[in-house]
């Protein structure tokens, strides 16, 4: 008479062997999904795209440059030759809807002037593509909301290009502050300024930029105060000044502002289009301080602490880091830490800063 234990063993083995191909196939499929590189179409081929974003895509583990969107045929020809982009993946701003028929493109990275972010994001989302958008997300809260809604309706992810949130130096400052390594923080100082240069560029045109130094580089300082504290400001007060009212007739040249946070931390921030010497971030606490200077560059950021230790990590490509993380979020079906809502919050605060500077009154933030 056959051994019942042996019959049970043989039956279980047969079931396991029968299931093995399916288990293996499922595991292989999941591994393939995780290792697949997502195709990125760069929308807007200006200097940032040419000098930072395209080279960064060559370094990513989970992305690849798969297409371009431009209104300049000459630029399209250069990019096609340099990166081997096929004609079928080259679009104008008016033909972005055709991306719906291109499975090689998964993500559209929007790098156009600020006031064009909404139409280009909405077009990409309606074509079924995820969107990663340069900061500021847009020039008004309403336009930001339209972008968020379009991506939500399409079931696609919307990310804001806050590269400093991937910088190990900034991540270390967040740790130092949140863990209160030097005691409770009291004052945050942050500033970023550049010499903007050419007076005819789009950054000095209100209808395209939405604002000047604050919208362009001041947003780095504003963002830093928020992710360092982990809080939203409850009060803001600002002053604007111009030393060149002709060049900066349409946008802000220099802006300083203070914000108060629920914990009692106060932040003092500054930005300008006429000073290239401000690029710092500093936190003062009960028993010491820490700072980054420079804090907001593409590379070379570093800092120090009041106990004599340096804040210095190996350099990474921040554009590659943020794109790889966004791709992983898509592949793993999880939220991004820099969603459209994060971009909207900064725009709302910047609008309050502008209003405070205009009226001379402190603005309460809900």
């Amino acid at each position: 008479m056959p051994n019942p234990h042996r019959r049970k063993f043989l039956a279980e083995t047969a079931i396991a062997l029968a299931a093995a191909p399916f288990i293996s196939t499922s595991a292989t499929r999941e591994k393939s999904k995780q290792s697949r590189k997502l195709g990125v179409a760069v929308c807007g081929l200006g200097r940032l795209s040419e000098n930072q974003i395209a080279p960064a895509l060559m370094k990513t583990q989970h992305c690849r440059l798969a297409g371009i969107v431009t209104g300049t045929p000459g630029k399209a020809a250069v990019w096609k030759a340099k990166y081997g982009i096929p004609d079928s993946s080259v679009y104008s701003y008016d033909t972005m809807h055709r991306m719906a028929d291109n499975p090689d493109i998964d993500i559209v990275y929007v790098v156009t002037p600020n006031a064009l972010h909404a139409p280009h994001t909405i077009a990409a989302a309606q074509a079924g593509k995820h969107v990663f958008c340069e900061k500021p997300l847009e020039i008004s809260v309403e336009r930001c909301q339209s972008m968020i809604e379009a991506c939500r309706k399409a079931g696609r992810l919307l990310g804001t290009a806050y590269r400093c949130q991937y910088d190990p130096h900034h991540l270390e400052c967040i740790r130092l502050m949140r863990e209160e390594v030097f005691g409770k923080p009291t004052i945050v100082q942050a500033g970023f300024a550049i010499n903007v240069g050419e007076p005819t560029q789009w950054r000095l045109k209100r209808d395209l930029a939405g604002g000047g130094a604050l919208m362009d580089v001041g947003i780095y300082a504003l963002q830093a105060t928020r992710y360092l504290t982990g809080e939203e400001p409850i009060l803001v007060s600002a002053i604007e000044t111009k030393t060149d009212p002709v060049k900066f007739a349409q946008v802000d040249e220099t802006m300083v502002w203070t914000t108060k946070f629920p914990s009692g931390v106060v932040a003092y921030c500054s930005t300008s289009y006429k000073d290239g010497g401000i690029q710092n971030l500093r936190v003062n606490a009960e028993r010491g301080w820490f700072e980054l200077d420079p804090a907001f560059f593409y590379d070379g950021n570093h800092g120090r602490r009041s106990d004599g230790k340096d804040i210095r990590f190996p350099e990474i490509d921040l554009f590659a880091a943020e794109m790889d993380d966004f791709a992983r979020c898509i592949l793993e079906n999880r939220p991004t830490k820099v969603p459209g809502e994060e971009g909207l919050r900064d725009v709302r605060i910047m609008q309050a800063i502008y209003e405070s500077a205009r009226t001379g009154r402190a603005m309460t933030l809900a």
Side-chain angles (χ1 to χ4, degrees), residues 8-191:
K8 181 181 178 183
F9 169 77
L10 291 172
E12 290 176 347
T13 300
I15 292 171
L17 288 172
F22 297 98
I23 296 171
S24 175
T25 301
S26 176
T28 301
R29 192 179 295 120
E30 182 62 24
K31 184 177 179 181
S32 174
K33 179 182 175 183
Q34 296 299 324
S35 62
R36 182 170 78 90
K37 285 196 171 190
L38 300 184
V40 178
V42 177
C43 178
L45 306 184
R47 284 179 295 179
L48 186 68
S49 295
E50 180 183 0
N51 298 328
Q52 272 76 43
I53 295 172
L57 285 170
M58 301 299 105
K59 305 173 188 176
T60 54
Q61 295 181 355
H62 304 287
C63 304
R64 59 185 179 85
L65 179 57
I68 52 175
V69 183
T70 181
T72 309
K75 288 184 178 180
V78 171
W79 281 62
K80 284 197 302 179
K82 185 173 183 178
Y83 295 107
I85 299 170
D87 289 337
S88 58
S89 292
V90 177
Y91 302 89
S92 71
Y93 300 117
D94 295 328
T95 62
M96 290 180 66
H97 61 280
R98 295 178 185 171
M99 288 184 185
D101 301 320
N102 191 341
D104 288 338
I105 295 175
D106 302 283
I107 302 167
V108 175
Y109 192 152
V110 176
V111 204
T112 47
N114 305 339
L116 300 178
H117 289 177
H120 296 155
T121 292
I122 292 169
Q126 289 177 343
K129 309 306 178 184
H130 302 278
V131 181
F132 199 66
C133 183
E134 267 303 318
K135 56 80 204 159
L137 189 64
E138 245 287 355
I139 65 172
S140 73
V141 168
E142 294 74 21
R143 293 190 186 202
C144 291
Q145 288 172 331
S146 70
M147 297 163 67
I148 293 168
E149 181 56 32
C151 290
R152 182 184 296 122
K153 185 177 180 180
R156 293 296 179 262
L157 204 60
L158 172 61
T160 315
Y162 286 131
R163 57 180 172 77
C164 288
Q165 291 216 31
Y166 299 89
D167 186 335
H169 302 86
H170 284 256
L171 295 175
E172 174 65 2
C173 287
I174 293 172
R175 184 191 72 81
L176 292 172
M177 186 148 180
R178 303 284 183 88
E179 295 181 6
E180 298 186 354
V181 173
F182 295 97
K184 291 189 177 297
T186 55
I187 298 173
V188 178
Q189 297 168 266

